Amino acid sequence: MTTISDPHVPAVSAEPIEPQLLDRDASRSRLAVVVGVGLTLFAVLNATAAIYLYRGISDLRTVEGRLEELGTFEQRIVARLDTVNNGFQSRFEKLDSQLQGSFNEINGSIARLEQNPPPTDGAGTSSVSEPVAATGTVMEASSSTEVAAEPTIVDTPRPPKRRVAAAPPAPNPGYQRTETPDGKVYYRKIN
């Protein structure tokens, strides 16, 4: 077989050329770069997580501090409410004791009146007293014509004073009065 060689044309070899997949020196450097980049990313992720974790812990401490302050605030409010409650309770107890004293005094007066009835003239009057109208003057007993030594005055509420409506003022001749069917009154100036 003859070969024609041209110096400008590259030579073709009969052996198949296999590309070198892995070069030992190049593959080691590539592996080192990949591992370095991976470790760098891992370190950045860990640093970011640590920063967020530190912020979360500091926020948690702040919230715990505020919750402790809230507990003391609640205790102060409870103490003040107890003070107010005790004040009201003591006032109610004081009013209750005053009412009980008044009731006891009234009951004692009623018992004394039942034991010692008021002196009567004994002219056949019953032991039950009849209501007596108050006139604001000395009362007369219904069975006798004598005036009692101590007049009995019944406390009755005064009737409310009636206010006398003043007469409406005379209409002004410079205005005309108009009353509508629904009861409203209007005045119109006359020119």
Side-chain angles (χ1 to χ4, degrees):
M1 176 176 223
T2 59
T3 54
I4 304 173
S5 65
D6 188 10
H8 300 290
V9 176
V12 178
S13 67
E15 312 174 357
I17 299 177
E18 293 181 15
Q20 291 184 356
L21 295 176
L22 293 174
D23 185 19
R24 287 199 180 255
D25 292 332
S27 65
R28 283 184 186 170
S29 63
R30 285 181 194 157
L31 182 62
V33 169
V34 169
V35 169
V37 169
L39 288 176
T40 304
L41 286 175
F42 185 70
V44 168
L45 288 176
N46 276 339
T48 305
I51 289 171
Y52 280 112
L53 183 63
Y54 178 74
R55 285 183 185 172
I57 289 173
S58 66
D59 289 345
L60 184 63
R61 287 181 183 159
T62 304
V63 168
E64 285 178 353
R66 288 183 181 175
L67 286 176
E68 288 176 9
E69 290 174 6
L70 184 64
T72 57
F73 179 71
E74 180 182 6
Q75 290 174 355
R76 287 185 300 193
I77 288 177
V78 166
R80 286 186 183 180
L81 286 176
D82 286 343
T83 302
V84 170
N85 188 21
N86 289 339
F88 280 124
Q89 187 174 1
S90 65
R91 286 181 184 176
F92 285 135
E93 288 174 357
K94 184 178 177 182
L95 287 174
D96 185 43
S97 65
Q98 288 176 350
L99 284 175
Q100 288 296 329
S102 297
F103 286 143
N104 290 338
E105 183 179 325
I106 290 171
N107 288 339
S109 297
I110 291 173
R112 274 186 267 132
L113 286 176
E114 288 177 355
Q115 290 175 356
N116 299 327
T120 59
D121 62 352
T125 58
S126 67
S127 63
V128 177
S129 62
E130 297 178 6
V132 180
T135 60
T137 61
V138 177
M139 309 286 287
E140 294 183 0
S142 61
S143 62
S144 71
T145 58
E146 296 180 6
V147 175
E150 290 185 20
T152 306
I153 298 175
V154 178
D155 291 333
T156 57
R158 291 185 177 184
K161 292 183 179 179
R162 291 188 179 182
R163 293 185 179 179
V164 177
N172 191 342
Y175 291 92
Q176 178 185 6
R177 182 175 191 263
T178 308
E179 188 171 345
T180 60
D182 62 347
K184 293 182 180 177
V185 177
Y186 297 99
Y187 291 95
R188 186 174 56 124
K189 188 172 184 177
I190 301 172
N191 291 331

